[in-house]
């Protein structure tokens, strides 16, 4: 299972409450572009409309810009493939105040490209500072243990 794209800042900016695996509807050139690790998940989010889930704000550039049709939009809304139960659960959590649905990663699973999405709550500034402090103390502890060996 190879990870093609990751939203690295998501785990720092958001508190992840629950994650889901979803399929995604892509064109052939988009699949090639993702397998080449081209694209950006930062700034993307998921919206539920009419009983369907859509990935919005994710930029996937064309694989070969010269051979791409003129009407190709790299930031178009892409449909996510989820079960009805999962869509209902995501719709309920999306309607709650302070919660959002964000993409965490794109990876392959049995030759299919999947998107890991998560219901998340935005962290406050003091929570982010606490995370940074914890990282630095963990790093220092690991460094001390390594020096003593």
């Amino acid at each position: 299972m190879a990870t093609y794209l990751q939203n690295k800042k998501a785990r720092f900016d958001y508190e992840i409450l629950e994650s889901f695996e979803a399929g995604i509807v892509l064109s052939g050139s988009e699949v090639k572009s993702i397998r080449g690790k081209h694209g950006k998940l930062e700034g993307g989010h998921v919206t539920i409309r009419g009983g369907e889930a859509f990935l919005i704000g994710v930029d996937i550039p064309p694989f070969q810009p010269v051979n791409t049709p003129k009407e190709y939009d790299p930031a178009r809304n892409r449909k996510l493939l989820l079960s009805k139960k999962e869509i209902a659960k995501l719709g309920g959590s999306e309607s709650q105040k302070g919660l959002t649905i964000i993409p965490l990663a794109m990876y392959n699973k049995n030759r299919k490209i999947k998107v890991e999405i998560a219901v998340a709550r935005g962290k406050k500034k003091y929570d982010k500072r606490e995370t940074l402090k914890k990282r630095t103390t963990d790093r220092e502890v690991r460094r001390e243990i390594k020096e003593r060996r």
Side-chain angles (χ1 to χ4, degrees):
M1 184 164 76
T3 301
Y4 298 127
L5 302 174
Q6 275 193 327
N7 191 350
K8 293 179 182 176
K9 288 202 64 142
R11 297 196 189 272
F12 179 72
D13 289 337
Y14 296 96
E15 175 189 351
I16 307 300
L17 303 176
E18 188 175 7
S19 64
F20 296 90
E21 179 181 78
I24 185 168
V25 177
L26 298 169
S27 67
S29 64
E30 289 174 333
V31 171
K32 283 183 143 187
S33 183
I34 289 172
R35 288 202 172 131
K37 299 187 180 183
H38 302 291
K40 188 176 82 169
L41 291 177
E42 289 81 14
H45 64 282
V46 176
T47 305
I48 309 295
R49 279 192 236 135
E52 294 180 336
F54 292 94
L55 185 62
I56 298 172
V58 172
D59 186 45
I60 301 173
F63 179 66
Q64 293 178 332
V66 178
N67 296 335
T68 306
K70 292 183 181 179
E71 64 272 357
Y72 178 74
D73 181 19
R76 71 180 176 88
N77 300 344
R78 293 170 177 88
K79 186 176 176 182
L80 295 178
L81 306 172
L82 293 160
S83 69
K84 287 183 181 182
K85 287 181 184 178
E86 290 174 328
I87 290 174
K89 195 170 190 179
L90 286 172
S93 63
E94 183 185 36
S95 63
Q96 290 181 9
K97 187 175 180 180
L99 296 182
T100 185
I101 307 167
I102 56 169
L104 296 177
M106 273 194 186
Y107 55 92
N108 74 327
K109 184 175 181 184
N110 300 333
R111 297 186 46 91
K112 305 270 193 262
I113 292 185
K114 301 288 185 174
V115 181
E116 182 182 5
I117 58 175
V119 176
R121 176 179 289 123
K123 284 186 182 177
K124 303 287 184 204
K125 207 173 218 178
Y126 57 85
D127 291 332
K128 292 179 186 180
R129 280 193 218 118
E130 191 176 298
T131 303
L132 288 173
K133 284 180 188 176
K134 186 176 182 223
R135 279 187 197 166
T136 55
T137 55
D138 288 346
R139 189 179 309 123
E140 289 171 2
V141 167
R142 277 188 269 122
R143 192 176 295 143
E144 286 293 322
I145 292 172
K146 188 177 178 182
E147 286 176 2
R148 290 184 182 181
R149 287 186 181 177

